[in-house]
Each structure stands twice: as C-alpha cells, then as structure tokens.
Amino acid sequence: MTREEQGRPLVGRSVPRREDRRLVSGRGRFVDDIALPGMLHAQFVRSTVAHGEIVSVDLSAVRRVPGVVAAFTADDLAIGDITAQLGRPRSQFVPTAMPVLARDKVRYVGEPLAIVVGLDAYAAEDGLEAAHVEYAPLPPVLGEETALADDAVLVHDEAARNTLVDVSLFATDGIDDIFDAAHRVVEVDVTTGRQNALPLETRGAVAHWDDREEQLLLQTCTQVPHQVRTVASRCLRLDERAVRVVVPDMGGGFGQKCVVGREEIAAAAAALRLGRPVKWIEDRKDALSASFLAREQHYRARAAFDADGRILALDADVVCDMGAYSCYPFTAGIEPLMASAEMPGVYKVPAYRVRGRAITTNKAPTAPYRGVSRPQYVMVVERLFERAARELGLDSVEIRRRNVITDFPYTGVNNITYDPGSYLESLNLCEQVVRDEGWYDTRTAAAVEGRHIGIGYACFSERTGYGSSAFAQRKMQVVPGFDISEVRMDTSGAVTVTTGTMSHGQSHETTMAQIVADALGLDIARVRLHQGDTDRVTYGWGTFASRSITVGGSAVRLAAERLGDKLRAIAAALWDTEPEEVELAEGQVRRRGGDGARDVLTHQEIADVAYLRADLLPKDIEPGLTATATFDVFNDGTFSNATHGVVVELHQDTGQVEILRYVCVEDCGVAIHPQVVEGQCRGGIAQGIAGALYEEVTYDAVGEPSATSFMDYKVPTAHEIPEVSIHHLETPCAFTATGAKGAGEGGTIGAPAAVLNAVNDALRPTGTELDHTPITPQTVHRALNPEPVP
Amino acid sequence: MTDDTLMTPREPQLIALNVNGEQHEVITEARRTLVDVLRHELRLTGTHVGCEHGICGACTVLVDDRPVRACLMFAAQAEGARIRTVESLADGNLLSDLQRAFSEHHALQCGFCTPGFLMLAEGFLAERPEATKEEIREVVAANMCRCTGYQTIVEAIDACATARRRACARACDSKEN
Ligand code: FES
Ligand code: FES
C-alpha cells in the first residue's frame, strides 16, 4: 500500500487478491486434491442409447474385475429422486422426477445407470467395461419439431407433447391491431446452439461418513452448498444436520455447478453403504457429453415500428430445449421464464406479448449457464433493431438511441421497474470510441478493396440483484434470494466473516474482506472469509445470477456495520462517552477529536474486554463480538448495463470471422474491485464469443452427442479471443448496501449479439443475414461465395 | 483373480522420478500417467487435470526444462528426466517474479488453469527470453483458460519477461562498468 492510499477506503481499489498466493503456488485445494485414508473411487455406467426402457443391468462381471470393490444399481442403493418444482398449474408446468440413477428408462446418452467403485479411478474404469446393460430402445426425441408433434413419442409420460413449461406471461390488449397498423413490421427467427458452460475443473465430490460428528461429509464442487445439503439429506433420508457440505477451491462453475448433480448424491450413497470414503471426479468426456448443458433456444419474434424507428410492439414465441430433465432447484422454467419476463430489456417497448415454452428431449439436461436466456433474447431484440434500421434507412445506433430507456426509475410493459442506469450514455460512448479509433473509415476503405469489415453493437441490461420476491414471482417452490452473513471478532481483534455465496473464481475472499475491513477500520489482512461450508455458514443461496456482491456483499456489509456498532458501544463505555464519538479507522478505535494516546484503542483491546474482561462491560452489552445480518432485495432488483462494440473481418477464402476490435462500456454501479470487474467482463466476453463463433454440442440422428473431446468441441484459446478495452461508467445502486450491481454475466450476454450484428454488417453487400449461433466458417463462406448461377 | 480371461494391467513396477530436484521411488502400475503419479502418489497436487487428452494444458510440467503435457506421458517414461512442477517456482514462501506477475495482472480467477500456464511460461521464457508480446500470445494459445479471456495472462507473462530483460540489462551494464 502506498502512503497516499493509507486510510482511504479499500472498496473501489484493486487490492492484491487474497486467494492468489495459494493458487499460484499449487497449494489451492480442489476437490480432486482431497485424499482420505481408505478412499475409493467411483465411475458411472452410463447409457449408450438416447432413449430406451432398461431391460436389465448386469453388474456381476463388473464386480469380478480386479480392483473393483463394489457396483450398485438404483435398486441396490434405493436413493430418493430429485424433483424440481414450480408452483404453477399443470397446464403451465409438469414436474418430472430425475432419479439419481436411472431405473426404468434412460433418456440421454450418458445418463448414469450404475455406480462402480474401485480401489482407484483406473480400476473403476476397468469395471465400467464389464457392465452389461440391455435396453429396449425407443425412438429418440431430438428436436423441437419431433418433440412438439401431436403424436410425439414422450420423454416423460406425464409431459404431453414433451412440454414441461408453457407460459404466456404477457399479452398487451390490442397488440394485433398495433401490428396491423404499424408503419413497418420486422421479423427474426433466431436459434442458438447447445453449449457447455465448461468449467476447466470438471465436477466432482468426495463423500464419507464421519463417525465422531455423526455426519455425512460431502466435499463437493458446487456453487450452491446449502441446496446440495438439502437434496442429499432428502434423497438419503438423513436429517439435514447429519449432512455437512464443504466446498473446496473451485475451478469455475458458470452455472453448470449451480444445480444439484445426481453423481454427487450417488457417490454419497455409495460411501454410506460401503463405510468408506468415495471420490468421484468427472472425466472430460463425461463433462462434455453427459454433464449439464445449456443455451439451445429458438425465438420467433417480430416487432412493429413507426416511421421514425420507434418500437411500438414486440411479440415473441420462445422454445427452450431443456434436454431430458428439469434441474434442481431452478426447474426447466428458468430459461423460458427469464426470457419472457425480461425480453424488452433496455428499450421502451409499449406493447408486449410472449409465449415461453420448455420442452424435454433425449439430450443431456441443461443448467442455467452464465447469462441465462439473456444472451439469446438480447440477440433477438438487437437483431430486430438492426433489421428495422436497415428497412427504415436509419443508422443502427441512432435507432437504438431513439428507443432506450432514459427516465428512471422506469416501469416496463413487463411490470419490472428498472433502477437508474446509463443505457444511452454507454451506447454513445461505445460508438464514440469505435468512431474515434477510425473503424468506420476502415470499414469504408475496406469495402472499396473488396474486404468485408463489419461493425456491430449490443446494448443491454443485466438484472442482478434478484431477491426472494423476484424469484417468487417465477413461482419457484424453492425460492432463492436472501443471504445471511456473520462477522466474528476473536480476542486478538482479527475477524472471520461468513457468506452464503460461493466463489468459483470471482475473488470473494478479497472483495468481501474489502467490505468488512472498511466497515471496521481494519487492515484487510486481519479479515478472513469462510464460504462453502454448511456447518459454518447459517444458510445461503450460493453464487449465481451475479448475486454475490449485490446480495451476499450487502449482508456482509450490514453484519460488519453491526459489529462496528458494538465495538463503538464498548469503546464509548470505556471512555464514558457516546458511541457516535467513536470512529473505526486505519486499524484503530479512536475517540473523535481526541489526540492523546488515551483516545486510541486497538481492536484487540476492545475484543479483550468483550471476551476476557466482561466484568468491565456495561449491563446492556452482552459479552462476545459477533454480529449477523440478512439481506434481501425487495423490489425488482438492480440492473447493470453495458454496450459492446465489435469490429470483425470476414475472410473470403476460409469463411473465418476475425475480431479486429472489441470495446466494452460497462456500468455495474460501484465497483468494489475494478480489476476483478474487468476480469469478469473479459472472461464473460470470451465465453460469449465462444457461443457466437465456436462452441456447439450437436446430436446425430440416434442421439449421440457430437462433442466428447476437445477435438470436437472448439473452446477458443488466446488465438481466437481478442484484447478487450473496457470503459467504466458508474451509476451507484440505491437498492444494495454497497452501491454495487452484479458484474458476472454481462460479458457473456453482450458478446453474441454484438458479434452477430457485426458479421451481418459485414455481410450486408451479399444480402445474406445470419440468425443462428454459432456462426460457422461454412455459413460465412457460403454467404461470401454463392454458387454461380448455372 | 477369479476370471483369468481378464488381462491384468495392474502389475506394479518400481520407478524412480526426479521431481523438483528430489529423487522419488514409486511403486506404480505401468499404465499410470505422469500427472496421476505426481498428483496422487507424490501428492504434488499443484499440477491439475483438465482433459486427460492433451488439449487443455492444465497438466503442463517441465520435463528436462521443456513444457510437456503430463497427461500424455506415462510416469515410467519420465524416468531419468528432470521434472519440474508448479511447486518448484516459489522459494519457500517467496513467490517467483512470474507468480507475482500473474497475481499483479489478475491473470487468474479460479486459478485452476494457472499452474499449467505458469509452467508453460516458465519453460518458454527460459528458452526465449527475448519473446515479443505476439510470440507470448502464440504460446499462451497452447493452453485453455475458461475464466480470464487470456489477455491478462499474456500481459502477466509479457511484464515478467520485460522486467527480466531490464534486470539483465542492468546487471550487464554494471558488469561492464
Ligand atoms: S489434462 Fe493434460 S492437456 Fe488437459
Ligand atoms: S482462471 Fe479459471 S480456468 Fe483459468
């Protein structure tokens, strides 16, 4: 810390990350790093067919393989099912059970059928090869058309036409008349490919029964430890206090780890049965093909415009392919409900109608991946504006300018109230940067030379502070939202803070500590965060939907302030003054205006009194130094916003899309740690570009997934991901205790739309417009090199 | 063994590995990969496994000073070679300049890919201390990171290389004077 930084608040500064020392030294502890005495290793027998009745599962040869200790089917273990629920009428939502191990039917290639436990992972894998499973195959349901057909084969018998969710959340009266009378109506038909969130660390767990604690200790790689505990206790029929979930360091999650996985529960069941620790580490092949996937959606949307380019109405039909099962706790509703509720986004849309459906198919199930539906609907809305601009002869930024929300708070046609943001400012600044750097001139000059350069934008907001009320509106039966935090000071004056959120790369150990250190006037080195341990943390909803700093950070801040109040009260009693006269700053407890040594105490001296000299405390102050606070967001949440600007060049011969420039103007309110915010933007943008240009899991006619290794699943490297320049705007949030809005997902939300718009801009002379991601070199090549007419 | 039609690949063998300057003897199966032996037999868990098929680079270690994918090599093949893992970079609690550069530039988020990138950079910079930022970007493209978007990794390695060159130039200058 430099001299002039001393005494300044830590919030707002890029202090060194607390987690780095162990992570750069190889001393992080990830789940596969855990080794326990007598530990066994599990692998799963997985379905090789996409859809079929299970006739028999014969594990007798498996059990004879050297090194195999045990093998269990669903019947052997008798574990309860995982069933995600929405509190909606049956016409809108059909609940379906996800058995921990498939029992009667298999519904996707890769579905776990049996667990094989060996002395090491090699032995367990040997065992898999000896499993004999007989199926009576059923025709696989692999696409929207087949799934929704009148005579469709059913993935779940209870879900007619394979529809799990069917909701029409909004339908403005008279909307058809608006379309009929409009100056111009534009339409798009947008589809997005199935993707894998792909944390670099695959999923995994280590489970064992701890005799002394009389507890199942489940160390698992999850974003939602408390929810895993709840499901484990129910499936295994244990009291919830008899399950402790502990999350070690996590190598990313991005949503794939914010739902409860069946394998971690099965590993726990096997550990209980065998009385020995069992480890399961998902291999990459399983992670690619059989883990939770995401993103496959189809939007048919149209928008009505007046002659000035003002949007009059938006009408959309959304179909999300959720794969074989509804994930816990979010259900298959997560994507269609998110899209339906939030599609109007940053624009003043006066009339709105939407239908959102989730369908079930014989593909690996989906989880909410970073951004959840917003990368898609932002793409849809931004495409509609681009198309309208083209047809009305308007500049594509100008048409957005005429439509973005500028008066706050603004209540939209979707009944959501948007808190203040910088929608117009971000748009203007982003365009300015691209223009000042000369990209418009470059585009013009390139066109003359026959090169294809295009510029694209995406302007969007990202709802982040989802509180319980926002989730309750979705009628989730398990309602995420609040978070609880406890701050505890020990006799040495050092502090431990707990949070129910769970960092998997977002630097909570640093950012939460910054918040606490500021509130208590402590050196950050004296603050330590506990997360991801259900025995240490009262309750929490984990980390997803960019909620950690907005909700979790607010709880941390409030708890720290409460503890600060107590410190002040004790000091005031000792000085025989008022608590208002006491300040906590620069590692000291000081009497305001005082200048002598007697006007200063250390935190340790106060803590000493609180614990070891309680006789000195006034009667109304309890001994000890702990404080707890809960935080929830009671309005519609808070909205980060951004505009992304992209310049691409399309290569005539290869169809390759090269990103020449990427500019991001973001506003996430108060940035606790600007470097971390930028890291979130860059990482998010990389995943967004991956979705726009590279990654897709497809299925062949029998339901085999195409991507089972990194040879087939194209994860972009430093070759493909450009430098990103980031500009910050700051509209502090009034609804959170920190002024922060979430920053986790924006990059992923904006990139696909901006890239797609840029590609379409470059394709303009060809007359082709693309509405599917990923944009493959083949499609670009075809657009640039049309077959000569014979 | 009850079923003698099953060929056992489980015959143990004794191998000697030189890791981070220490000599280790391990009894292990011939089929075990170097990364598994480092992680699970020697308990050097800093080296990670991301794919086991040679693409992600999370398992990168130095074998005779060159970056190598430890998932693509059997431990037995590394006998007689000098192996270096991420655990060798720091001097006790003192982080190396490369490790510090990663932290300063926020070149890691979850940190799972980090040991692989550190060893890749360590090996590369030793061979090409003059590397330009463009060359560094080329090399960084050998490994995968899912969190950072790569830019800060490139910047960290470039900053470390630049600082090393400066320090070297200063040392040379003072020698000449
Ligand atoms: S684990 Fe070796 S390259 Fe991925
Ligand atoms: S920092 Fe998470 S994979 Fe690179």
Side-chain angles (χ1 to χ4, degrees):
Chain A
M1 203 182 294
T2 65
R3 172 148 305 138
E4 80 267 14
E5 279 170 351
Q6 205 121 38
R8 272 179 35 210
L10 291 165
V11 164
R13 273 161 50 194
S14 297
V15 301
R17 280 215 323 169
R18 313 274 318 268
E19 33 283 89
D20 285 352
R21 171 166 282 278
R22 68 173 186 277
L23 294 176
V24 298
S25 312
R27 293 208 294 256
R29 191 189 54 204
F30 296 88
V31 67
D32 191 30
D33 300 344
I34 298 167
L36 297 172
M39 188 171 75
L40 303 171
H41 299 258
Q43 294 277 349
F44 289 87
V45 177
R46 293 179 182 274
S47 175
T48 52
V49 305
H51 196 190
E53 311 269 356
I54 302 170
V55 176
S56 65
V57 183
D58 180 0
L59 302 179
S60 50
V62 177
R63 297 190 179 104
R64 288 200 304 273
V65 171
V68 168
V69 174
F72 304 109
T73 62
D75 289 340
D76 298 332
L77 290 177
I79 323 167
D81 296 342
I82 305 172
T83 307
Q85 289 274 4
L86 281 182
R88 288 184 177 271
R90 256 198 98 84
S91 60
Q92 293 183 8
F93 175 70
V94 182
T96 49
M98 176 163 76
V100 171
L101 294 172
R103 264 192 314 264
D104 316 314
K105 248 189 177 191
V106 285
R107 296 186 170 87
Y108 61 97
V109 170
E111 176 157 18
L113 283 154
I115 180 169
V116 176
V117 184
L119 291 173
D120 57 30
Y122 289 69
E125 251 177 63
D126 292 343
L128 296 186
E129 287 173 19
H132 190 76
V133 186
E134 223 180 293
Y135 309 91
L138 293 164
V141 179
L142 295 166
E144 183 183 328
E145 228 171 280
T146 330
L148 292 173
D150 284 331
D151 57 347
V153 171
L154 297 182
V155 178
H156 293 271
D157 293 339
E158 55 274 40
R161 303 176 96 204
N162 295 305
T163 303
L164 297 178
V165 175
D166 188 350
V167 283
S168 298
L169 289 190
F170 300 96
T172 307
D173 282 343
I175 190 168
D176 289 320
D177 300 337
I178 301 176
F179 274 99
D180 289 344
H183 176 75
R184 183 71 69 154
V185 174
V186 291
E187 291 181 32
V188 291
D189 191 315
V190 170
T191 50
T192 57
R194 205 171 192 78
Q195 249 189 291
N196 194 314
L198 209 113
L200 198 62
E201 179 202 30
T202 56
R203 299 180 304 146
V206 179
H208 77 285
W209 180 258
D210 182 330
D211 275 311
R212 192 160 172 278
E213 300 291 342
E214 298 188 346
Q215 264 186 330
L216 168 74
L217 177 57
L218 179 57
Q219 301 189 75
T220 181
C221 184
T222 182
Q223 297 167 235
V224 289
H226 286 88
Q227 289 67 54
V228 170
R229 180 181 67 173
T230 300
V231 172
S233 89
R234 293 188 185 168
C235 287
L236 303 170
R237 297 176 188 88
L238 293 166
D239 285 345
E240 197 150 339
R241 65 119 221 103
V243 181
R244 178 181 180 191
V245 173
V246 173
V247 188
D249 282 321
M250 261 176 91
F254 315 116
Q256 190 173 79
K257 298 173 185 169
C258 83
V259 297
V260 181
R262 3 182 23 181
E263 292 91 343
E264 53 200 329
I265 307 294
L272 294 182
R273 172 65 75 90
L274 295 167
R276 286 176 73 173
V278 171
K279 178 193 270 190
W280 160 65
I281 300 297
E282 182 180 55
D283 67 17
R284 185 55 68 183
K285 175 171 173 282
D286 290 347
L288 276 167
S289 55
S291 204
F292 292 97
L293 303 179
R295 297 271 200 259
E296 190 172 358
Q297 301 190 354
H298 181 189
Y299 289 72
R300 272 166 286 234
R302 56 190 191 126
F305 285 87
D306 70 12
D308 293 332
R310 287 206 173 70
I311 189 166
L312 303 172
L314 173 63
D315 185 9
D317 182 75
V318 185
V319 178
C320 307
D321 183 340
M322 308 305 288
Y325 294 99
S326 209
C327 64
Y328 185 96
F330 299 97
T331 79
I334 179 96
E335 292 195 335
L337 291 171
M338 175 85 89
S340 298
E342 297 177 19
M343 193 173 329
V346 289
Y347 299 105
K348 288 177 278 189
V349 176
Y352 178 44
R353 177 167 61 199
V354 66
R355 179 180 187 191
R357 279 174 286 177
I359 59 166
T360 177
T361 56
N362 293 117
K363 301 176 189 171
T366 54
Y369 173 25
R370 199 174 196 175
V372 184
S373 287
R374 289 165 292 188
Q376 290 90 347
Y377 77 65
V378 165
M379 198 153 90
V380 170
V381 172
E382 295 292 288
R383 291 288 309 128
L384 287 168
F385 276 104
E386 290 277 323
R387 192 157 286 178
R390 245 182 233 206
E391 294 191 11
L392 295 170
L394 284 169
D395 175 76
S396 78
V397 174
E398 179 53 29
I399 195 170
R400 290 181 173 87
R401 255 183 223 124
R402 291 183 191 179
N403 286 286
V404 290
I405 300 165
T406 46
D407 304 315
F408 298 100
Y410 176 89
T411 303
V413 66
N414 50 356
N415 290 333
I416 289 175
T417 300
Y418 297 80
D419 66 340
S422 51
Y423 305 166
L424 182 61
E425 294 81 350
S426 70
L427 183 61
N428 286 340
L429 178 56
C430 192
E431 192 209 26
Q432 189 71 46
V433 172
V434 173
R435 197 170 287 285
D436 289 352
E437 289 182 2
W439 291 105
Y440 283 90
D441 300 335
T442 308
R443 180 177 68 176
T444 313
V448 177
E449 296 165 25
R451 288 164 63 202
H452 313 278
I453 289 186
I455 299 173
Y457 295 95
C459 181
F460 61 94
S461 69
E462 169 195 4
R463 192 185 194 181
T464 56
Y466 287 95
S468 307
S469 59
F471 283 112
Q473 272 170 20
R474 299 217 179 125
K475 306 214 165 43
M476 289 179 67
Q477 289 222 321
V478 176
V479 181
F482 68 89
D483 237 275
I484 304 176
S485 180
E486 186 197 45
V487 180
R488 202 184 309 149
M489 185 173 278
D490 62 25
T491 61
S492 65
V495 161
T496 304
V497 52
T498 70
T499 176
T501 63
M502 181 62 226
S503 178
H504 39 286
Q506 300 93 335
S507 321
H508 294 177
E509 287 167 58
T510 307
T511 53
M512 299 290 191
Q514 284 175 276
I515 294 170
V516 173
D518 274 358
L520 294 176
L522 264 182
D523 184 344
I524 192 169
R526 308 204 71 199
V527 184
R528 167 97 180 92
L529 181 76
H530 278 320
Q531 56 186 341
D533 181 339
T534 57
D535 267 18
R536 274 179 173 171
V537 176
T538 320
Y539 204 81
W541 281 101
T543 289
F544 51 84
S546 302
R547 65 186 300 281
S548 296
I549 284 298
T550 51
V551 183
S554 291
V556 162
R557 165 88 180 252
L558 296 180
E561 282 174 352
R562 258 181 214 167
L563 184 67
D565 289 344
K566 186 159 186 185
L567 291 170
R568 268 191 293 270
I570 296 173
L574 297 176
W575 278 319
D576 198 14
T577 178
E578 297 304 314
E580 297 74 55
E581 294 303 304
V582 179
E583 62 173 2
L584 309 169
E586 293 172 47
Q588 293 177 328
V589 181
R590 293 192 297 231
R591 193 169 172 160
R592 251 180 241 281
D595 50 9
R598 290 183 25 221
D599 299 318
V600 176
L601 289 165
T602 62
H603 289 75
Q604 175 168 7
E605 284 167 319
I606 306 281
D608 217 67
V609 172
Y611 287 103
L612 308 179
R613 291 302 312 271
D615 59 305
L616 297 176
L617 291 173
K619 281 202 183 52
D620 59 336
I621 298 183
E622 287 177 10
L625 282 176
T626 60
T628 308
T630 321
F631 187 82
D632 203 345
V633 181
F634 289 105
N635 45 36
D636 290 330
T638 163
F639 292 80
S640 297
N641 68 272
T643 299
H644 290 197
V646 183
V647 185
V648 300
E649 174 158 14
L650 312 181
H651 293 277
Q652 181 94 33
D653 296 339
T654 59
Q656 190 209 338
V657 178
E658 185 186 351
I659 297 177
L660 304 177
R661 187 72 180 120
Y662 205 110
V663 178
C664 163
V665 179
E666 72 82 36
D667 185 344
C668 66
V670 172
I672 308 289
H673 190 298
Q675 202 181 35
V676 166
V677 168
E678 294 197 357
Q680 290 297 312
C681 291
R682 292 211 168 88
I685 287 168
Q687 286 185 334
I689 291 173
L693 297 176
Y694 303 105
E695 296 175 4
E696 184 170 15
V697 180
T698 55
Y699 286 81
D700 70 9
V702 295
E704 282 276 355
S706 60
T708 57
S709 82
F710 286 140
M711 306 298 252
D712 329 293
Y713 195 74
K714 291 183 284 225
V715 180
T717 68
H719 265 310
E720 289 81 23
I721 301 302
E723 293 208 353
V724 173
S725 77
I726 299 173
H727 303 259
H728 299 281
L729 298 173
E730 184 181 300
T731 313
C733 177
F735 304 143
T736 60
T738 52
K741 305 172 178 181
E745 299 164 277
T748 324
I749 295 169
V755 171
L756 183 62
N757 283 339
V759 169
N760 279 321
D761 185 47
L763 284 177
R764 193 183 279 245
T766 69
T768 305
E769 281 183 60
L770 303 178
D771 282 318
H772 174 77
T773 55
I775 305 159
T776 60
Q778 290 87 327
T779 43
V780 173
H781 189 266
R782 221 175 297 131
L784 291 177
N785 305 283
E787 300 270 345
V789 187
Chain B
M1 208 171 100
T2 51
D3 189 346
D4 53 14
T5 57
L6 288 169
M7 238 288 291
T8 174
R10 299 186 63 85
E11 295 298 332
Q13 44 171 230
L14 177 70
I15 60 171
L17 292 179
N18 181 316
V19 185
N20 302 333
E22 281 175 29
Q23 200 64 27
H24 298 267
E25 295 199 329
V26 203
I27 297 174
T28 191
E29 293 169 28
R31 62 174 172 170
R32 281 179 85 84
T33 59
L34 177 58
V35 69
D36 280 349
V37 168
L38 289 172
R39 287 178 48 75
H40 302 302
E41 252 97 358
L42 303 184
R43 299 292 305 141
L44 291 167
T45 54
T47 307
H48 295 152
V49 175
C51 70
E52 294 176 287
H53 55 264
I55 309 278
C56 76
C59 64
T60 305
V61 297
L62 299 184
V63 175
D64 289 333
D65 302 323
R66 309 189 84 108
V68 155
R69 310 273 205 229
C71 72
L72 287 187
M73 203 173 178
F74 293 113
Q77 291 173 296
E79 270 198 312
R82 276 173 298 111
I83 301 160
R84 270 187 73 197
T85 69
V86 65
E87 283 88 350
S88 72
L89 291 179
D91 179 1
N93 273 328
L94 212 63
L95 297 181
S96 76
D97 54 349
L98 184 63
Q99 288 170 308
R100 274 183 279 119
F102 265 61
S103 181
E104 278 157 24
H105 290 266
H106 194 35
L108 63 152
Q109 290 181 24
C110 76
F112 194 80
C113 67
T114 311
F117 276 105
L118 284 168
M119 298 319 283
L120 179 72
E122 178 79 1
F124 173 66
L125 291 185
E127 205 172 297
R128 289 252 335 127
E130 298 299 321
T132 64
K133 196 165 176 184
E134 264 326 294
E135 290 169 328
I136 290 170
R137 188 167 262 281
E138 284 283 300
V139 168
V140 165
N143 284 15
M144 281 179 190
C145 171
R146 196 57 169 172
C147 299
T148 60
Y150 303 107
Q151 184 174 337
T152 50
I153 298 179
V154 175
E155 284 164 2
I157 300 171
D158 183 47
C160 177
T162 310
R164 281 183 189 178
R165 285 195 293 266
R166 267 203 218 109
C168 176
R170 267 200 306 275
C172 295
D173 276 356
S174 58
K175 240 182 251 156
E176 277 164 23
N177 294 337

